[in-house]
Amino acid sequence: MRMRPALSVLGMAVLLALTAVAVPAAAAPTTITVWGWDYQKKVVDGLLPDFYKLHPDIKVEWKVMQPQQVRQNMLLALSSGAGAPDVFAAESAWVGQLIAVGGIWDITDKVQALKDQFNAYKWQDVSLDGRIYGMPWDSGPVALYYRRDVLQESGLPTDPQAVADTFSTWDRYYELAGKIHSATKAYMFAHAKANNDARDWEKLAWQAGAGYFDAAGRVILDRRPENTRVLEFLARFWKDNMAQDAQPWTPAWYAGFADGSVATHFGAVWMGGFLKTWVAPKAEGKWGVAPLPAWTQGGVRTSNDGGSNLLIPAQSKHKEAAWAFVSFVTANRDAQVKAWESMDSFPSLESAYSAPIAREPDPYFAGQPYRLVFVELAKQIPTWYYTKDYPEANSILAAEIVNVALGKKTPEQAIKDAATQIRKRTGRQ
C-alpha cells in the first residue's frame, strides 16, 4: 500500500512530460494593418465581432487617415516598395492612379466566382489590362432629391412616381425650373461658379455615357458631343439665375438644403444619410427621391458619384489573412447588410439588396422607402473610365468650368481647351 503514492507521483511526472511534448504552445494571432478613413473604421468596427468568430487567429488594426492621406501615403509606399499596410481603402476616383504605380496584389483568380454578384460597373475601377486588383465595397448611385414643399407650392406633384414622370428628361427639368423659380424664388440646384470641382458635370456626363476617356484610354472630352451638351445645360442655369452660387460643403450650401432655397439636388445615395444626420436634420418630411431625368426620353436615369474599394499591397506579409478580411467585409452578404443598417453604407454586393432595410419607409423622406430607388438605379449605372490620369483631367476641367461661369469662355471652347491640355499633360491621344 505504501508503494502506490510513490508510483502515482512518478506516473504523474511522466504524464506531464508527455503532455508538454504533445501539446504545442498556442500560435500568436496574425495582425493585419488597414489604412482607411474614420467612417470606414466605424463600419468595420461593427463587423469585427462576427469576423473574429470566423477567424480568431487574425487581429485587425485600423489606422485612421483622411482619404487623400491614404492616397498620398500609398503612392509613396508603392513607389518605394516599403511601408504599406496589409490592406488599404481607396476611392474609385483615384484607385486607378495607385494601381498604375504597380505593387498591388493581383486577385483576378480569387474573384472570378464573385464578379457576377457585384455592380458590374465597379470592376472597371479596380482593373488594369484585364487583371483585377481590388474588391468593390460601396457604390454611389445618383438620383434626384427634391423638396416636396417647393414643388407643391409650384403646383407640381410631390409623389415620387409622379415626380419621376413629370421630370422625365433634362429638357423638361429646365422648363419646370422657370415655373418653380417664378412661384417660389427657389433655385433649381446649387452650382458654384468659383472653386467648381466639376463633380456635377461628371455626374451628368457619366449618365450620358461620355466623360474624359474611353475604354482604350483615349481622350474623348472634345470628341463626344454629350460632354459639351452637359456643360451647356449647366451653364444655362447660371445665365438664367436659376442655380444657387454656393460652394459645396459650406454653410451657404447647407442652408439651401435646410431652408428650401434650392428645389432639387442630383446626388448620390450617401447624401440621404448626410441630409438626415447633419446637413439638414430639421427638414424631416420635406425631401423626396426620384430617378434622374434622362438625356433622351426612355434613356438612362442614373449615374454614380463616389464609392470605395479595398486592396492588398503585394508587399504585405499576410496576404491570405488580408484576403480573409477583405472578402468578409465586401463579399459577405450579412456583413454588407449590417454595414448598410448601421452606417448607411450602400453595398456594391447586389445580394444585399433583398434585405428588409431596402424597403423600410423613412420618416425623413415623408415615409418613402427611398433606398429602394437607389437599389433599382444601381443596376443601371453605365461604365465610366477613370484611368490613372483622372485627378489631372478633373483639375483641368474644373478650372475651365470656372471660365464658363465667369463668362470668359463658351462651354464648347472650355471643353476643347480642357481636352487639349489633358492630351498635352498626359500624353494621351
Side-chain angles (χ1 to χ4, degrees), residues 63-91:
K63 186 170 183 179
V64 174
M65 302 179 185
Q66 294 296 319
Q68 287 304 320
Q69 281 182 291
V70 176
R71 177 190 171 199
Q72 293 300 328
N73 289 342
M74 283 307 307
L75 282 171
L76 290 172
L78 294 172
S79 299
S80 65
D86 297 294
V87 178
F88 68 97
E91 290 185 352

PDB file of all heavy atoms in Angstrom, residues 63-91:
ATOM      1  N   LYS A  63      -5.707  52.009 -38.997  1.00  0.00           N
ATOM      2  CA  LYS A  63      -5.089  53.320 -38.843  1.00  0.00           C
ATOM      3  C   LYS A  63      -5.933  54.332 -39.601  1.00  0.00           C
ATOM      4  O   LYS A  63      -6.052  54.255 -40.829  1.00  0.00           O
ATOM      5  CB  LYS A  63      -3.661  53.320 -39.375  1.00  0.00           C
ATOM      6  CG  LYS A  63      -2.936  54.635 -39.089  1.00  0.00           C
ATOM      7  CD  LYS A  63      -1.454  54.545 -39.403  1.00  0.00           C
ATOM      8  CE  LYS A  63      -0.749  55.843 -39.041  1.00  0.00           C
ATOM      9  NZ  LYS A  63       0.705  55.772 -39.316  1.00  0.00           N
ATOM     10  N   VAL A  64      -6.513  55.287 -38.877  1.00  0.00           N
ATOM     11  CA  VAL A  64      -7.412  56.269 -39.485  1.00  0.00           C
ATOM     12  C   VAL A  64      -6.610  57.373 -40.161  1.00  0.00           C
ATOM     13  O   VAL A  64      -5.692  57.947 -39.579  1.00  0.00           O
ATOM     14  CB  VAL A  64      -8.346  56.882 -38.421  1.00  0.00           C
ATOM     15  CG1 VAL A  64      -9.171  58.016 -39.035  1.00  0.00           C
ATOM     16  CG2 VAL A  64      -9.268  55.813 -37.848  1.00  0.00           C
ATOM     17  N   MET A  65      -6.965  57.644 -41.413  1.00  0.00           N
ATOM     18  CA  MET A  65      -6.384  58.757 -42.178  1.00  0.00           C
ATOM     19  C   MET A  65      -7.494  59.398 -42.993  1.00  0.00           C
ATOM     20  O   MET A  65      -8.520  58.774 -43.248  1.00  0.00           O
ATOM     21  CB  MET A  65      -5.310  58.257 -43.160  1.00  0.00           C
ATOM     22  CG  MET A  65      -4.154  57.508 -42.552  1.00  0.00           C
ATOM     23  SD  MET A  65      -3.012  56.990 -43.858  1.00  0.00           S
ATOM     24  CE  MET A  65      -1.845  56.022 -42.901  1.00  0.00           C
ATOM     25  N   GLN A  66      -7.276  60.630 -43.417  1.00  0.00           N
ATOM     26  CA  GLN A  66      -8.169  61.229 -44.394  1.00  0.00           C
ATOM     27  C   GLN A  66      -7.972  60.511 -45.738  1.00  0.00           C
ATOM     28  O   GLN A  66      -6.877  60.000 -46.017  1.00  0.00           O
ATOM     29  CB  GLN A  66      -7.869  62.718 -44.550  1.00  0.00           C
ATOM     30  CG  GLN A  66      -8.156  63.541 -43.305  1.00  0.00           C
ATOM     31  CD  GLN A  66      -9.633  63.534 -42.944  1.00  0.00           C
ATOM     32  OE1 GLN A  66     -10.493  63.623 -43.816  1.00  0.00           O
ATOM     33  NE2 GLN A  66      -9.930  63.390 -41.659  1.00  0.00           N
ATOM     34  N   PRO A  67      -9.017  60.461 -46.582  1.00  0.00           N
ATOM     35  CA  PRO A  67      -8.863  59.753 -47.860  1.00  0.00           C
ATOM     36  C   PRO A  67      -7.636  60.189 -48.667  1.00  0.00           C
ATOM     37  O   PRO A  67      -6.914  59.341 -49.212  1.00  0.00           O
ATOM     38  CB  PRO A  67     -10.168  60.093 -48.589  1.00  0.00           C
ATOM     39  CG  PRO A  67     -11.164  60.289 -47.500  1.00  0.00           C
ATOM     40  CD  PRO A  67     -10.398  60.946 -46.390  1.00  0.00           C
ATOM     41  N   GLN A  68      -7.399  61.499 -48.723  1.00  0.00           N
ATOM     42  CA  GLN A  68      -6.247  61.955 -49.515  1.00  0.00           C
ATOM     43  C   GLN A  68      -4.921  61.592 -48.854  1.00  0.00           C
ATOM     44  O   GLN A  68      -3.888  61.480 -49.536  1.00  0.00           O
ATOM     45  CB  GLN A  68      -6.342  63.464 -49.741  1.00  0.00           C
ATOM     46  CG  GLN A  68      -7.426  63.855 -50.745  1.00  0.00           C
ATOM     47  CD  GLN A  68      -7.248  63.162 -52.105  1.00  0.00           C
ATOM     48  OE1 GLN A  68      -6.141  63.006 -52.612  1.00  0.00           O
ATOM     49  NE2 GLN A  68      -8.361  62.714 -52.677  1.00  0.00           N
ATOM     50  N   GLN A  69      -4.929  61.427 -47.523  1.00  0.00           N
ATOM     51  CA  GLN A  69      -3.709  60.946 -46.845  1.00  0.00           C
ATOM     52  C   GLN A  69      -3.414  59.501 -47.244  1.00  0.00           C
ATOM     53  O   GLN A  69      -2.259  59.133 -47.476  1.00  0.00           O
ATOM     54  CB  GLN A  69      -3.889  61.018 -45.330  1.00  0.00           C
ATOM     55  CG  GLN A  69      -3.714  62.379 -44.726  1.00  0.00           C
ATOM     56  CD  GLN A  69      -3.863  62.312 -43.200  1.00  0.00           C
ATOM     57  OE1 GLN A  69      -4.949  62.070 -42.679  1.00  0.00           O
ATOM     58  NE2 GLN A  69      -2.777  62.507 -42.498  1.00  0.00           N
ATOM     59  N   VAL A  70      -4.472  58.689 -47.318  1.00  0.00           N
ATOM     60  CA  VAL A  70      -4.284  57.303 -47.752  1.00  0.00           C
ATOM     61  C   VAL A  70      -3.695  57.297 -49.161  1.00  0.00           C
ATOM     62  O   VAL A  70      -2.729  56.569 -49.454  1.00  0.00           O
ATOM     63  CB  VAL A  70      -5.614  56.529 -47.743  1.00  0.00           C
ATOM     64  CG1 VAL A  70      -5.407  55.121 -48.293  1.00  0.00           C
ATOM     65  CG2 VAL A  70      -6.190  56.461 -46.329  1.00  0.00           C
ATOM     66  N   ARG A  71      -4.244  58.127 -50.013  1.00  0.00           N
ATOM     67  CA  ARG A  71      -3.763  58.182 -51.400  1.00  0.00           C
ATOM     68  C   ARG A  71      -2.286  58.578 -51.458  1.00  0.00           C
ATOM     69  O   ARG A  71      -1.476  57.908 -52.112  1.00  0.00           O
ATOM     70  CB  ARG A  71      -4.618  59.190 -52.179  1.00  0.00           C
ATOM     71  CG  ARG A  71      -4.174  59.407 -53.612  1.00  0.00           C
ATOM     72  CD  ARG A  71      -4.928  60.580 -54.206  1.00  0.00           C
ATOM     73  NE  ARG A  71      -4.400  60.965 -55.486  1.00  0.00           N
ATOM     74  CZ  ARG A  71      -4.612  62.161 -56.046  1.00  0.00           C
ATOM     75  NH1 ARG A  71      -5.346  63.062 -55.416  1.00  0.00           N
ATOM     76  NH2 ARG A  71      -4.091  62.449 -57.231  1.00  0.00           N
ATOM     77  N   GLN A  72      -1.918  59.648 -50.769  1.00  0.00           N
ATOM     78  CA  GLN A  72      -0.538  60.118 -50.822  1.00  0.00           C
ATOM     79  C   GLN A  72       0.419  59.118 -50.185  1.00  0.00           C
ATOM     80  O   GLN A  72       1.503  58.837 -50.727  1.00  0.00           O
ATOM     81  CB  GLN A  72      -0.427  61.481 -50.108  1.00  0.00           C
ATOM     82  CG  GLN A  72      -1.155  62.608 -50.810  1.00  0.00           C
ATOM     83  CD  GLN A  72      -0.654  62.855 -52.229  1.00  0.00           C
ATOM     84  OE1 GLN A  72       0.522  62.657 -52.517  1.00  0.00           O
ATOM     85  NE2 GLN A  72      -1.543  63.267 -53.115  1.00  0.00           N
ATOM     86  N   ASN A  73       0.045  58.558 -49.048  1.00  0.00           N
ATOM     87  CA  ASN A  73       0.924  57.603 -48.376  1.00  0.00           C
ATOM     88  C   ASN A  73       1.068  56.309 -49.176  1.00  0.00           C
ATOM     89  O   ASN A  73       2.138  55.686 -49.181  1.00  0.00           O
ATOM     90  CB  ASN A  73       0.394  57.304 -46.973  1.00  0.00           C
ATOM     91  CG  ASN A  73       0.559  58.479 -46.035  1.00  0.00           C
ATOM     92  OD1 ASN A  73       1.349  59.384 -46.293  1.00  0.00           O
ATOM     93  ND2 ASN A  73      -0.198  58.491 -44.947  1.00  0.00           N
ATOM     94  N   MET A  74      -0.008  55.910 -49.855  1.00  0.00           N
ATOM     95  CA  MET A  74       0.095  54.700 -50.672  1.00  0.00           C
ATOM     96  C   MET A  74       0.929  54.946 -51.923  1.00  0.00           C
ATOM     97  O   MET A  74       1.645  54.044 -52.382  1.00  0.00           O
ATOM     98  CB  MET A  74      -1.299  54.179 -51.050  1.00  0.00           C
ATOM     99  CG  MET A  74      -2.027  53.446 -49.940  1.00  0.00           C
ATOM    100  SD  MET A  74      -1.067  52.091 -49.176  1.00  0.00           S
ATOM    101  CE  MET A  74      -0.594  51.111 -50.596  1.00  0.00           C
ATOM    102  N   LEU A  75       0.859  56.147 -52.479  1.00  0.00           N
ATOM    103  CA  LEU A  75       1.725  56.465 -53.625  1.00  0.00           C
ATOM    104  C   LEU A  75       3.194  56.325 -53.220  1.00  0.00           C
ATOM    105  O   LEU A  75       4.007  55.764 -53.967  1.00  0.00           O
ATOM    106  CB  LEU A  75       1.442  57.888 -54.124  1.00  0.00           C
ATOM    107  CG  LEU A  75       0.184  58.072 -54.977  1.00  0.00           C
ATOM    108  CD1 LEU A  75      -0.096  59.558 -55.216  1.00  0.00           C
ATOM    109  CD2 LEU A  75       0.333  57.354 -56.315  1.00  0.00           C
ATOM    110  N   LEU A  76       3.524  56.810 -52.024  1.00  0.00           N
ATOM    111  CA  LEU A  76       4.902  56.703 -51.543  1.00  0.00           C
ATOM    112  C   LEU A  76       5.280  55.247 -51.281  1.00  0.00           C
ATOM    113  O   LEU A  76       6.371  54.793 -51.666  1.00  0.00           O
ATOM    114  CB  LEU A  76       5.059  57.531 -50.259  1.00  0.00           C
ATOM    115  CG  LEU A  76       5.006  59.054 -50.416  1.00  0.00           C
ATOM    116  CD1 LEU A  76       4.985  59.731 -49.041  1.00  0.00           C
ATOM    117  CD2 LEU A  76       6.214  59.552 -51.223  1.00  0.00           C
ATOM    118  N   ALA A  77       4.392  54.514 -50.606  1.00  0.00           N
ATOM    119  CA  ALA A  77       4.695  53.125 -50.236  1.00  0.00           C
ATOM    120  C   ALA A  77       4.834  52.228 -51.465  1.00  0.00           C
ATOM    121  O   ALA A  77       5.731  51.376 -51.534  1.00  0.00           O
ATOM    122  CB  ALA A  77       3.600  52.592 -49.306  1.00  0.00           C
ATOM    123  N   LEU A  78       3.961  52.429 -52.430  1.00  0.00           N
ATOM    124  CA  LEU A  78       4.029  51.600 -53.635  1.00  0.00           C
ATOM    125  C   LEU A  78       5.242  51.963 -54.484  1.00  0.00           C
ATOM    126  O   LEU A  78       5.884  51.094 -55.099  1.00  0.00           O
ATOM    127  CB  LEU A  78       2.741  51.764 -54.456  1.00  0.00           C
ATOM    128  CG  LEU A  78       1.463  51.231 -53.798  1.00  0.00           C
ATOM    129  CD1 LEU A  78       0.229  51.623 -54.610  1.00  0.00           C
ATOM    130  CD2 LEU A  78       1.523  49.709 -53.642  1.00  0.00           C
ATOM    131  N   SER A  79       5.575  53.240 -54.531  1.00  0.00           N
ATOM    132  CA  SER A  79       6.726  53.675 -55.327  1.00  0.00           C
ATOM    133  C   SER A  79       8.039  53.178 -54.732  1.00  0.00           C
ATOM    134  O   SER A  79       8.958  52.791 -55.457  1.00  0.00           O
ATOM    135  CB  SER A  79       6.746  55.207 -55.419  1.00  0.00           C
ATOM    136  OG  SER A  79       5.578  55.689 -56.054  1.00  0.00           O
ATOM    137  N   SER A  80       8.115  53.180 -53.395  1.00  0.00           N
ATOM    138  CA  SER A  80       9.360  52.780 -52.744  1.00  0.00           C
ATOM    139  C   SER A  80       9.439  51.282 -52.483  1.00  0.00           C
ATOM    140  O   SER A  80      10.515  50.748 -52.207  1.00  0.00           O
ATOM    141  CB  SER A  80       9.502  53.532 -51.419  1.00  0.00           C
ATOM    142  OG  SER A  80       8.470  53.138 -50.515  1.00  0.00           O
ATOM    143  N   GLY A  81       8.285  50.619 -52.536  1.00  0.00           N
ATOM    144  CA  GLY A  81       8.263  49.178 -52.256  1.00  0.00           C
ATOM    145  C   GLY A  81       8.308  48.830 -50.791  1.00  0.00           C
ATOM    146  O   GLY A  81       8.582  47.677 -50.428  1.00  0.00           O
ATOM    147  N   ALA A  82       8.059  49.802 -49.915  1.00  0.00           N
ATOM    148  CA  ALA A  82       8.109  49.539 -48.471  1.00  0.00           C
ATOM    149  C   ALA A  82       7.158  50.469 -47.743  1.00  0.00           C
ATOM    150  O   ALA A  82       6.842  51.559 -48.216  1.00  0.00           O
ATOM    151  CB  ALA A  82       9.525  49.746 -47.949  1.00  0.00           C
ATOM    152  N   GLY A  83       6.698  50.001 -46.574  1.00  0.00           N
ATOM    153  CA  GLY A  83       5.905  50.866 -45.706  1.00  0.00           C
ATOM    154  C   GLY A  83       4.408  50.747 -45.879  1.00  0.00           C
ATOM    155  O   GLY A  83       3.662  51.468 -45.209  1.00  0.00           O
ATOM    156  N   ALA A  84       3.941  49.863 -46.748  1.00  0.00           N
ATOM    157  CA  ALA A  84       2.495  49.739 -46.971  1.00  0.00           C
ATOM    158  C   ALA A  84       1.850  48.896 -45.873  1.00  0.00           C
ATOM    159  O   ALA A  84       2.504  48.047 -45.261  1.00  0.00           O
ATOM    160  CB  ALA A  84       2.218  49.107 -48.334  1.00  0.00           C
ATOM    161  N   PRO A  85       0.549  49.103 -45.638  1.00  0.00           N
ATOM    162  CA  PRO A  85      -0.181  48.238 -44.702  1.00  0.00           C
ATOM    163  C   PRO A  85      -0.523  46.914 -45.399  1.00  0.00           C
ATOM    164  O   PRO A  85      -0.117  46.677 -46.541  1.00  0.00           O
ATOM    165  CB  PRO A  85      -1.437  49.055 -44.410  1.00  0.00           C
ATOM    166  CG  PRO A  85      -1.677  49.779 -45.703  1.00  0.00           C
ATOM    167  CD  PRO A  85      -0.313  50.107 -46.245  1.00  0.00           C
ATOM    168  N   ASP A  86      -1.293  46.081 -44.733  1.00  0.00           N
ATOM    169  CA  ASP A  86      -1.729  44.817 -45.359  1.00  0.00           C
ATOM    170  C   ASP A  86      -2.973  45.029 -46.226  1.00  0.00           C
ATOM    171  O   ASP A  86      -3.221  44.260 -47.155  1.00  0.00           O
ATOM    172  CB  ASP A  86      -2.032  43.790 -44.272  1.00  0.00           C
ATOM    173  CG  ASP A  86      -0.794  43.451 -43.460  1.00  0.00           C
ATOM    174  OD1 ASP A  86       0.146  42.872 -44.029  1.00  0.00           O
ATOM    175  OD2 ASP A  86      -0.762  43.805 -42.269  1.00  0.00           O
ATOM    176  N   VAL A  87      -3.769  46.059 -45.897  1.00  0.00           N
ATOM    177  CA  VAL A  87      -4.993  46.385 -46.649  1.00  0.00           C
ATOM    178  C   VAL A  87      -5.126  47.903 -46.640  1.00  0.00           C
ATOM    179  O   VAL A  87      -4.773  48.560 -45.660  1.00  0.00           O
ATOM    180  CB  VAL A  87      -6.253  45.768 -45.979  1.00  0.00           C
ATOM    181  CG1 VAL A  87      -7.520  46.168 -46.740  1.00  0.00           C
ATOM    182  CG2 VAL A  87      -6.132  44.248 -45.897  1.00  0.00           C
ATOM    183  N   PHE A  88      -5.645  48.451 -47.738  1.00  0.00           N
ATOM    184  CA  PHE A  88      -5.963  49.878 -47.713  1.00  0.00           C
ATOM    185  C   PHE A  88      -7.249  50.134 -48.489  1.00  0.00           C
ATOM    186  O   PHE A  88      -7.628  49.376 -49.384  1.00  0.00           O
ATOM    187  CB  PHE A  88      -4.818  50.730 -48.270  1.00  0.00           C
ATOM    188  CG  PHE A  88      -4.563  50.583 -49.745  1.00  0.00           C
ATOM    189  CD1 PHE A  88      -5.105  51.491 -50.648  1.00  0.00           C
ATOM    190  CD2 PHE A  88      -3.783  49.553 -50.233  1.00  0.00           C
ATOM    191  CE1 PHE A  88      -4.862  51.363 -52.007  1.00  0.00           C
ATOM    192  CE2 PHE A  88      -3.542  49.416 -51.590  1.00  0.00           C
ATOM    193  CZ  PHE A  88      -4.078  50.326 -52.479  1.00  0.00           C
ATOM    194  N   ALA A  89      -7.927  51.214 -48.097  1.00  0.00           N
ATOM    195  CA  ALA A  89      -9.150  51.625 -48.776  1.00  0.00           C
ATOM    196  C   ALA A  89      -8.814  52.683 -49.814  1.00  0.00           C
ATOM    197  O   ALA A  89      -7.885  53.472 -49.629  1.00  0.00           O
ATOM    198  CB  ALA A  89     -10.155  52.183 -47.767  1.00  0.00           C
ATOM    199  N   ALA A  90      -9.568  52.699 -50.899  1.00  0.00           N
ATOM    200  CA  ALA A  90      -9.319  53.680 -51.956  1.00  0.00           C
ATOM    201  C   ALA A  90     -10.623  54.097 -52.598  1.00  0.00           C
ATOM    202  O   ALA A  90     -11.468  53.248 -52.907  1.00  0.00           O
ATOM    203  CB  ALA A  90      -8.382  53.096 -53.019  1.00  0.00           C
ATOM    204  N   GLU A  91     -10.778  55.405 -52.795  1.00  0.00           N
ATOM    205  CA  GLU A  91     -11.940  55.894 -53.530  1.00  0.00           C
ATOM    206  C   GLU A  91     -11.815  55.480 -54.991  1.00  0.00           C
ATOM    207  O   GLU A  91     -10.709  55.433 -55.548  1.00  0.00           O
ATOM    208  CB  GLU A  91     -12.022  57.420 -53.422  1.00  0.00           C
ATOM    209  CG  GLU A  91     -12.387  57.922 -52.038  1.00  0.00           C
ATOM    210  CD  GLU A  91     -12.587  59.433 -52.010  1.00  0.00           C
ATOM    211  OE1 GLU A  91     -12.291  60.087 -53.021  1.00  0.00           O
ATOM    212  OE2 GLU A  91     -13.032  59.940 -50.968  1.00  0.00           O
TER     213      GLU A  91
END
